[in-house]
């Protein structure tokens, strides 16, 4: 009898989590496909956002907040989204990202998304840099995040303090070590980043700077 009552109580306690998890399944599948194909059809985004928010209404969970944040971000950058809807979508993505990080701060990708959105919304540079710094500290060697960190960081380098510059220099060296081809393509397509790179490395790492210059010359 006692065992049965305990099992029933445990089931009742876990029921909201089970309902929310079941409701969130289409979002899980869509996001998993996105990481393979880099796309979610525009027409599906509003429905997926509603599904993620419905799961969140059942059970407060960092994973569901992250789904809401990510989907709003994709909606904001989608070429088919109405232009007037993009800023509100960025703001909703930002708010949801903050909720994720309250519950699970060791999320370098979410910190990077927060930095990118703050930059796009033209928030104060110190807010952008704090989120970028946290992304690095929470996952220094994250190959999928390195180039994006450089692209954001280089544009804010004049506002960085010594600690920020140290982190950005470290990320630059890591990116060159792990992704030289991708970094070469970035520098070729964004000449301003090359000027920033020279300022960052030329005096302290001249040998690496020379390697980069040679690679860029070969790619022309």
């Amino acid at each position: 009898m006692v065992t049965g009552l305990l099992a029933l109580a445990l089931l009742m306690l876990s029921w909201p989590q089970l309902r929310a998890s079941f409701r969130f399944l289409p979002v899980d599948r869509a996001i998993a496909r996105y990481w393979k194909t880099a796309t979610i059809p525009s027409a599906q985004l509003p429905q997926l956002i509603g599904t993620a928010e419905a799961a969140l209404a059942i059970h407060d969970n960092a994973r569901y907040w992250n789904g809401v944040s990510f989907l709003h971000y994709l909606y904001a950058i989608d070429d088919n989204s109405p232009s007037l809807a993009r800023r509100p979508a960025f703001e909703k993505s930002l708010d949801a990202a903050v909720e994720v990080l309250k519950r699970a701060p060791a999320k370098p990708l979410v910190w990077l998304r927060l930095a990118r959105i703050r930059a796009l919304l033209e928030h104060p540079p110190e807010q952008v840099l704090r989120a970028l710094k946290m992304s690095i500290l929470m996952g220094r060697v994250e190959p999928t995040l390195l180039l994006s960190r450089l692209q954001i960081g280089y544009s804010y380098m004049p506002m960085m303090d010594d600690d920020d510059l140290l982190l950005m220099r470290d990320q630059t060296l890591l990116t060159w070590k792990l992704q030289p081809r991708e970094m070469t393509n970035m520098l070729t397509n964004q000449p301003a980043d090359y000027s920033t790179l020279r300022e960052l490395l030329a005096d302290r790492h001249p040998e690496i700077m020379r390697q980069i210059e040679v690679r860029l010359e070969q790619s022309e």
Side-chain angles (χ1 to χ4, degrees):
M1 179 69 173
V2 174
T3 302
L5 290 174
L6 180 60
L8 180 61
L10 290 173
L11 178 62
M12 292 178 64
L13 288 172
S14 64
W15 179 238
Q17 298 178 37
L18 293 171
R19 284 178 57 216
S21 182
F22 182 76
R23 179 66 66 90
F24 199 73
L25 277 175
V27 179
D28 272 335
R29 295 193 191 104
I31 291 176
R33 285 196 302 271
Y34 176 85
W35 293 122
K36 293 180 179 178
T37 65
T39 185
I40 292 178
S42 303
Q44 293 182 14
L45 286 170
Q47 181 179 357
L48 287 168
I49 290 170
T51 300
E53 290 175 340
L56 187 58
I58 297 170
H59 179 60
D60 188 309
N61 183 281
R63 184 163 65 97
Y64 305 153
W65 279 111
N66 193 27
V68 170
S69 174
F70 185 54
L71 291 169
H72 275 299
Y73 178 79
L74 292 181
Y75 184 78
I77 64 173
D78 192 290
D79 290 338
N80 295 309
S81 297
S83 57
L84 291 177
R86 290 179 183 173
R87 185 177 183 91
F90 276 131
E91 291 171 344
K92 290 177 182 177
S93 178
L94 185 151
D95 290 342
V98 170
E99 295 299 328
V100 175
L101 296 168
K102 286 179 182 177
R103 293 157 178 79
K107 297 282 186 183
L109 176 57
V110 180
W111 281 111
L112 182 61
R113 187 188 311 142
L114 186 62
R116 184 181 290 117
I117 296 172
R118 290 198 184 284
L120 289 167
L121 295 178
E122 299 182 338
H123 285 193
E126 60 270 20
Q127 295 183 4
V128 178
L129 289 173
R130 180 179 181 276
L132 180 61
K133 184 175 182 177
M134 290 299 296
S135 176
I136 296 170
L137 293 176
M138 292 297 137
R140 172 178 171 266
V141 185
E142 290 280 349
T144 60
L145 308 184
L146 290 172
L147 280 176
S148 295
R149 286 172 178 166
L150 296 190
Q151 290 168 344
I152 296 173
Y154 285 175
S155 63
Y156 283 85
M157 217 174 82
M159 285 77 83
M160 289 184 180
D161 60 23
D162 289 343
D163 288 342
D164 295 333
L165 290 172
L166 186 64
L167 286 175
M168 191 51 50
R169 192 173 292 113
D170 173 72
Q171 289 290 287
T172 299
L173 296 173
L174 269 174
T175 307
W176 180 247
K177 178 181 179 180
L178 298 175
Q179 301 175 338
R181 180 173 58 84
E182 293 83 353
M183 187 169 170
T184 299
N185 290 338
M186 182 191 82
L187 295 171
T188 300
N189 296 325
Q190 301 177 45
D193 285 345
Y194 175 71
S195 298
T196 303
L197 177 73
R198 281 196 59 82
E199 183 181 345
L200 195 62
L201 294 186
D203 291 339
R204 294 174 181 263
H205 299 278
E207 72 289 352
I208 301 296
M209 194 64 234
R210 182 56 188 158
Q211 290 176 20
I212 294 172
E213 289 171 344
V214 170
R215 185 70 176 256
L216 286 170
E217 290 170 1
Q218 293 173 346
S219 68
E220 291 178 353

